[in-house]
Amino acid sequence: MPYLTTNNHQLHYADTHPSGALPSSKSQTLIFIHGLGSSQNYYYPILPRLPNHRCITIDTYGSGRSPYTGEAVSIESIAADVVGVMDELKIAKAVVVGHSMGGLVVTQLGSKFKDRINGVIAIGPTHPNETMVGVMEKRAETVSKDGMEPMANSIPFQATGARATPLQRAFIRELILGQNPKGYAALCKAIASSKASDYAAINCPFLLIAGQEDKSASLEGCNHIFSHVQSENKRMEVLADVGHWHCVEAPEEVGVLLSVFMETVYGA
């Protein structure tokens, strides 16, 4: 399994074009950042829709197969790791894709690292608020005491929409059970302490995908983010009967939306 080290974090990742050679002059490199309790595998159902691009999926520090070594985590440190991955793989610019917590990361990258970011795709992006702080602090306390089982037994049902199947919920449960409780708790604290990005500073092409039944990243929050982004090339799509696990619940629709966005904006 490929790993790289950046900012003293050993990160597991996958690369659809490990040689670095892009399929065409119009191809882009996309870097995918998952959400809390997830891993790079969250994105695998949609990758077949992006054969003309280089897709790099990362297990963030303390998630999936990226080991947790006890360091504090923040949205800023995850964003720094993404830039570090780009540096290690000699990627000058990329389109960044982030789900949930990863949405916090990619909006920060789009606002603070404009010279490195060609586009931002936010899927169910989290918008910080007081309710979220309480939820994340409680989750951190729960997993620190009882491990991942309580999260695995509740989130697949509470955070999905009406169309979610038993197989999809089982996959979500497996993603959650595979987390290191200490790493998960650290990420909960990172989300609880996060601040909203400077959305108005994002001026690159921007796509936001929301779930109609998403209770974690509400339509209200998604609309707030979208309305404040200043890009002249921005688009928002809402998936009917979908909750917070968009790429699992509606992989074909999400894949098509990304494919169309990439073709429309970049021509590939």
Side-chain angles (χ1 to χ4, degrees), residues 6 31 80-92 116:
T6 183
I31 299 182
D81 282 349
V82 173
V83 175
V85 168
M86 294 172 66
D87 291 341
E88 289 291 325
L89 298 178
K90 296 179 172 56
I91 298 166
R116 306 297 301 273

Side-chain angles (χ1 to χ4, degrees), residues 247-261:
C247 292
V248 177
E249 296 179 65
E252 287 299 317
E253 290 174 64
V254 175
V256 168
L257 289 174
L258 264 66
S259 177
V260 169
F261 178 79

